[in-house]
Amino acid sequence: MPLETEAKARVRALVADLRPNNGDMMTALHRVQHEFGYLSKESLEVIAEQLDMFPSILYGAASFYDEFRFHPPAQTTVRWCSGPACRLRNSNGIRDAMLVTLGMEELHEQTEDGRVGMVLGQCNGCCELAPMVWLEQHGEHGPTQTPVGNMNAARAVRMARALRDGSDLDGAINA
Amino acid sequence: MPESDIALQKYDALRERADAEYAAWRNPERPRIDIAMDTSSLANGARATGIAIHRVISERNAAVDMGQVHGYGMQWIHPSVQITFPNGETVLYGPVRPEDAGRIVDEATGTWGAAADIRIGMITGTHEGVPSIRDHEFFSLEPRERRLMRNLGLTDPDNLLHYIARDGYRATARMLGRHLSEEAVRNQLNDAGLTGRGGANFPTGVKWNFLFGAAGDEHYMVCNADEGDPGAWVNRVVMEGDPHLLIEGMLIGGYATKAKVGFIYLRDEYPFSVERMERAIKEAEAAGILGDDVLGTGMEFRLRVVRGAGAYVCGEETGLLSSIQDSRGMPRVKPPFPAQRGVFNKPSNVNNVESFANVPLIIQHNSEWYREHGSDKASGTKIFSFSGDIPRVGFMEVPFATRLEDCLRVCGGIQGGQLKAIQSGGPLGSLLPPEALPKLILQPDSFSPWDAIMGGGGMVFMNDQTSVLVMTEALAAFVEEESCGRCTTCHGGNQRQTEIIRRIIDGEGRREDDPNLALIDRTVQFSNCVHGQFSPKITRNTRVHFKNDFEAALLGVDPTLTLKGMYEVYVAHQRPEEQAAAAADICPTAAIQGEPGRRRVIDEACIRCGACFDVAPEVMGKRAKAPKPGLVPLA
């Protein structure tokens, strides 16, 4: 299929300088995911070829890591901080409020229309902003990440509603 | 043997350029506003502040330049900025919001006092009425002269020449120029008493001896920058604040162990650190400090950043090595140790970021100088990060053996209640009771009597408004999620452990939970790597140090009313009606029902998210549920 070939060619160009047995796998996976938002079957085939690995071995390795995705990400992903400082300020309530508003059972799911997803995030040491979430947008120009600190559950509900309904997100954040 | 003093000549040439550039930066012709650019300051909106200041400068055509620094340590005042005046005085401000841009530019251009209320202190120089930042209470435990963080606020971290002008790479040049033997380098580290800063405290020099003596000449130097412990961001400060300090430490390590290639395994959650390290490596290569002819001596040393992807267990050294080698980041059994079989099955050595960062300082000064701080049991200084229920969240560099109680004091004391617990050393670390605080000093062996570890430097203080079990559940869930899955004891045991804690939180505690957790503890310890071996520690700490809370929770009693299954939410007051209406509106499960004046909470629908309390604090209430009648108290 021509489209698939085009995608494959783009992946090939992205990883052209990487070599087998050179510790390049993580770099390859990151580059492709950054460009495409996720790791498609075709892209894994190209990377495997480049790194002289079996695609199954490559998939097995890549799937070990939480940050590698094998399906397109939602337009907006809420990355919920699971760190200790956040937990002391009701981050569990924030998580549960957002999940239920978005109609999800648990983290790492997406809404049916693929607009909103929610994943577990790890502490990166901005604990003065606890509790916090990050909003990740996956647009045409690659991913962007916006931290939203000093959250509370009410704000979480407003943000989740805005994301779900496609209404004024900034208004919900600043309300 | 390389030419006698070629390294020193090359260094002197670099130094001359660096001194000129740095002098011009320290005493600029026009005032300069430096935005603190680091992960924390950025998360607090540093970019927006920078844009706003830039806009004001262009609009007014003001005679002011802009630049960047790393934050000074006080994260609660982020985003922060510094103004450096032509006379070399540098003043710290924060928090600086976009709306403060005009005032900051005023202050820089001569209207001294325009930003007086957000002025924090003098970083360099003296100014009447403005205290030195070194006199700020938060830094009162730091040595007067910082060591690991000596360049924060005083350099642009992206500028190699700034690092050189502040004595950077001097240790390297002298080591190479004076033909210091590899052994002498390693001995100096041993004399200094440098131990691993990641938490294991193994002597760094001894580790390097292993690698130096290992077979073959293909050796690898690996830096563990997978700082995964939630609440710890010590390595981040080094990498974003002074990336060349890490590079130089690894370069010296390469020399001392005959390694020609180094890897920095950096966690995915620090994209800004990745960016800074990669830029610094490129600059060092371009300056001839890294590459196949280090400072003209023919020494070969290259560095690469490998970006992790959210696997905590890659912080275990064999897991990390597996991850570099194109595979799942699963730890394996030791031996063989990394010095025997590491990257690409070749002899390797893995050290923490901060361990490397100490190396240039020791080589540049000497081991005696290094030992001036700290104690007999732990020499030198260490960076610690502090968070939780404290008003001053940030990081500081303190000598070993500093009292933890003093740290809490300079962080502003416990906020919102009484001290309930201290979490140190990450999810595999410890949950310490308040009675431990007066006895704890920041030195690994001080934590041992409490069945605890000091760890990599993250300290989280908890008040008594949240149940300890909330933290227990969070950390138990973390170690379960991050188990690599190789040992059944670990992946199965941690699932059971988390299940039990969650069931207790849901108010379904059972008599046998305590003995079962003890059984899991005894079993999970028989895992192959430290992840499994240490993973039951948090529940053990909870059961031992917080026995009363744990046993009360088993009975369905939780005075803090933060454990889901032990309390219910109700409408305590029907007025003010606006609040009651707002509560009903915000509830994500529509659990608040009824007409105005007759509102009530449908308990089955309530998920205890707390949203209604945020909008209607005067209306909503919590009350304890009756303990389950069937549960028999434990003997």
Side-chain angles (χ1 to χ4, degrees):
Chain A
M1 285 183 289
L3 269 177
E4 199 183 286
T5 314
E6 193 194 325
K8 276 195 166 185
R10 274 173 68 199
V11 175
R12 200 161 277 127
L14 272 177
V15 298
D17 60 324
L18 304 180
R19 303 200 312 270
N21 298 318
N22 190 44
D24 285 345
M25 181 191 81
M26 300 296 277
T27 308
L29 296 170
H30 274 301
R31 274 191 203 167
V32 173
Q33 178 159 297
H34 184 87
E35 185 75 14
F36 293 86
Y38 73 109
L39 300 164
S40 63
K41 189 165 169 275
E42 301 84 69
S43 71
L44 286 170
E45 283 167 7
V46 177
I47 298 170
E49 200 181 312
Q50 182 73 24
L51 299 181
D52 197 17
M53 294 168 82
F54 283 107
S56 55
I57 301 278
L58 177 68
Y59 175 76
S63 61
F64 178 80
Y65 300 93
D66 291 342
E67 289 306 321
F68 292 132
R69 291 178 294 266
F70 305 95
H71 299 285
Q75 251 169 49
T76 305
T77 300
V78 178
R79 184 175 287 267
W80 166 77
C81 184
S82 61
C86 292
R87 303 273 190 164
L88 298 173
R89 297 186 188 164
N90 193 31
S91 69
N92 287 347
I94 290 167
R95 173 196 62 202
D96 296 346
M98 289 191 113
L99 284 174
V100 75
T101 307
L102 294 167
M104 296 175 194
E105 290 280 315
E106 51 191 12
L107 296 170
H108 303 283
E109 290 180 11
Q110 292 183 7
T111 52
E112 271 178 26
D113 57 11
R115 258 210 328 245
V116 196
M118 202 165 163
V119 299
L120 184 139
Q122 298 297 353
C123 177
N124 72 349
C126 300
C127 307
E128 68 280 6
L129 285 170
M132 78 185 296
V133 299
W134 296 268
L135 294 178
E136 291 177 357
Q137 317 272 349
H138 290 274
E140 282 172 29
H141 307 289
T144 58
Q145 202 183 56
T146 316
V148 183
N150 300 317
M151 288 285 295
N152 63 34
R155 197 170 172 208
V157 172
R158 290 191 202 103
M159 279 168 61
R161 283 176 181 162
L163 285 166
R164 180 193 64 194
D165 306 338
S167 55
D168 178 19
L169 180 61
D170 287 339
I173 291 173
N174 298 320
Chain B
M1 273 288 168
E3 274 306 301
S4 63
D5 53 359
I6 183 129
L8 291 168
Q9 283 170 20
K10 292 247 176 194
Y11 174 76
D12 287 343
L14 275 171
R15 179 72 188 243
E16 204 175 316
R17 263 175 63 206
D19 283 345
E21 177 159 336
Y22 187 60
W25 193 77
R26 285 296 323 147
N27 290 74
E29 280 180 22
R30 322 195 300 176
R32 190 186 60 252
I33 299 173
D34 291 317
I35 314 288
M37 296 287 273
D38 57 60
T39 293
S40 156
S41 198
L42 284 165
N44 280 277
R47 242 182 259 283
T49 296
I51 290 168
I53 292 174
H54 188 262
R55 187 176 299 139
V56 172
I57 293 174
S58 341
E59 277 168 10
R60 297 190 194 166
N61 201 14
V64 180
D65 293 311
M66 285 187 75
Q68 64 158 359
V69 289
H70 186 279
Y72 200 76
M74 311 155 92
Q75 289 190 181
W76 74 96
I77 62 149
H78 279 174
S80 63
V81 309
Q82 296 180 189
I83 303 178
T84 297
F85 294 95
N87 64 4
E89 280 177 13
T90 300
V91 194
L92 175 67
Y93 301 85
V96 183
R97 309 279 169 214
E99 57 269 26
D100 301 317
R103 300 198 292 142
I104 285 290
V105 176
D106 287 342
E107 180 108 345
T109 49
T111 317
W112 180 253
D117 58 317
I118 46 171
R119 209 188 276 147
I120 306 295
M122 305 296 293
I123 288 191
T124 57
T126 51
H127 202 108
E128 212 188 308
V130 188
S132 163
I133 194 73
R134 301 310 298 156
D135 292 329
H136 193 285
E137 190 192 18
F138 188 68
F139 301 117
S140 59
L141 302 172
E142 292 196 341
R144 201 68 195 170
E145 304 270 323
R146 282 176 163 184
R147 293 178 165 188
L148 293 157
M149 310 204 308
R150 72 197 160 128
N151 286 338
L152 299 197
L154 294 172
T155 61
D156 174 347
D158 282 333
N159 194 318
L160 165 68
L161 294 177
H162 287 189
Y163 177 72
I164 292 177
R166 305 238 333 133
D167 278 345
Y169 292 113
R170 195 166 157 207
T172 306
R174 284 209 303 213
M175 174 186 80
L176 295 173
R178 296 184 186 166
H179 312 300
L180 201 63
S181 72
E182 293 98 334
E183 195 187 0
V185 173
R186 300 194 307 272
N187 285 346
Q188 272 209 38
L189 301 190
N190 284 331
D191 290 345
L194 177 65
T195 57
R197 296 290 190 250
N201 302 302
F202 193 80
T204 306
V206 174
K207 234 180 178 180
W208 289 11
N209 285 343
F210 295 151
L211 182 59
F212 182 79
D217 55 1
E218 197 181 330
H219 293 178
Y220 291 94
M221 202 36 123
V222 182
C223 173
N224 185 345
D226 197 47
E227 187 172 41
D229 287 343
W233 61 91
V234 172
N235 297 348
R236 193 196 81 196
V237 171
V238 174
M239 292 188 288
E240 295 180 7
D242 211 1
H244 287 284
L245 189 63
L246 170 58
I247 295 178
E248 185 173 10
M250 293 191 72
L251 177 60
I252 294 172
Y255 175 79
T257 61
K258 295 189 294 189
K260 294 187 175 71
V261 177
F263 290 94
I264 300 171
Y265 190 89
L266 219 167
R267 74 194 288 240
D268 194 42
E269 288 81 359
Y270 291 167
F272 196 66
S273 303
V274 172
E275 216 178 282
R276 261 205 180 139
M277 282 315 307
E278 287 187 332
R279 186 177 300 135
I281 289 169
K282 277 203 187 99
E283 279 214 18
E285 280 170 357
I289 292 168
L290 290 176
D292 48 17
D293 188 19
V294 174
L295 289 174
T297 60
M299 177 191 164
E300 216 178 295
F301 193 70
R302 293 173 192 286
L303 267 181
R304 271 175 63 189
V305 174
V306 176
R307 186 169 179 166
Y312 176 71
V313 80
C314 289
E316 199 282 340
E317 60 181 3
T318 57
L320 188 154
L321 293 169
S322 306
S323 185
I324 294 178
Q325 294 173 90
D326 300 353
S327 100
R328 296 168 76 88
M330 291 164 78
R332 59 161 172 77
V333 179
K334 290 187 277 193
F337 290 95
Q340 298 160 299
R341 296 182 76 173
V343 187
F344 309 125
N345 288 327
K346 300 291 182 196
S348 304
N349 178 74
V350 186
N351 290 119
N352 176 266
V353 172
E354 206 187 359
S355 312
F356 281 119
N358 276 290
V359 171
L361 305 176
I362 294 170
I363 303 299
Q364 190 202 324
H365 298 87
N366 54 50
S367 48
E368 272 164 46
W369 170 86
Y370 190 76
R371 286 176 173 281
E372 277 168 18
H373 290 305
S375 67
D376 293 346
K377 287 178 178 162
S379 55
T381 57
K382 170 152 179 47
I383 305 173
F384 288 87
S385 59
F386 299 95
S387 62
D389 293 317
I390 50 171
R392 296 173 181 166
V393 173
F395 54 89
M396 58 180 96
E397 176 186 355
V398 294
F400 277 104
T402 299
R403 296 172 67 235
L404 186 59
E405 198 169 25
D406 291 334
C407 296
L408 176 57
R409 176 176 51 78
V410 303
C411 288
I414 199 81
Q415 202 175 26
Q418 299 294 312
L419 179 68
K420 181 71 190 183
I422 305 155
Q423 209 263 301
S424 73
L428 303 174
S430 7
L431 215 46
L432 291 145
E435 52 277 21
L437 183 67
K439 293 166 194 149
L440 284 171
I441 57 172
L442 294 175
Q443 170 173 305
D445 65 340
S446 164
F447 287 70
S448 316
W450 301 92
D451 185 21
I453 59 168
M454 189 183 80
M459 296 284 158
V460 187
F461 297 103
M462 297 176 57
N463 69 19
D464 56 2
Q465 303 301 300
T466 307
S467 168
V468 165
L469 272 84
V470 169
M471 193 62 86
T472 311
E473 188 271 338
L475 299 170
F478 182 94
V479 288
E480 180 209 331
E481 178 69 26
E482 298 299 335
S483 170
C484 84
R486 192 191 292 275
C487 308
T488 308
T489 43
C490 177
H491 76 80
N494 275 312
Q495 284 171 2
R496 300 295 83 75
Q497 175 172 275
T498 310
E499 272 170 18
I500 292 174
I501 296 293
R502 286 193 173 147
R503 182 164 40 68
I504 295 172
I505 287 176
D506 286 342
E508 305 286 338
R510 298 175 192 159
R511 259 186 310 172
E512 60 271 28
D513 285 339
D514 190 49
N516 277 347
L517 283 170
L519 178 64
I520 289 171
D521 183 357
R522 293 196 302 273
T523 312
V524 178
Q525 288 181 36
F526 290 96
S527 302
N528 279 329
C529 84
V530 285
H531 187 90
Q533 290 156 12
F534 284 8
S535 57
K537 204 170 200 178
I538 291 292
T539 45
R540 194 195 316 149
N541 279 176
T542 306
R543 283 165 40 236
V544 173
H545 298 324
F546 301 94
K547 198 163 190 260
N548 292 342
D549 301 77
F550 178 75
E551 294 194 341
L554 281 183
L555 299 168
V557 176
D558 165 38
T560 68
L561 302 180
T562 51
L563 299 180
K564 259 189 171 182
M566 301 178 204
Y567 72 93
E568 60 187 8
V569 176
Y570 72 109
V571 179
H573 305 284
Q574 294 291 339
R575 287 169 193 287
E577 164 54 23
E578 312 84 74
Q579 274 195 22
D585 181 55
I586 202 73
C587 180
T589 55
I592 303 173
Q593 297 198 344
E595 297 302 307
R598 301 175 58 102
R599 297 189 196 269
R600 64 198 171 86
V601 177
I602 311 295
D603 189 49
E604 297 72 42
C606 174
I607 59 167
R608 280 121 177 107
C609 69
C612 53
F613 290 92
D614 295 329
V615 298
E618 294 163 64
V619 165
M620 304 307 298
K622 276 182 183 183
R623 62 188 164 205
K625 277 189 176 175
K628 294 219 175 322
L631 201 68
V632 183
L634 286 152

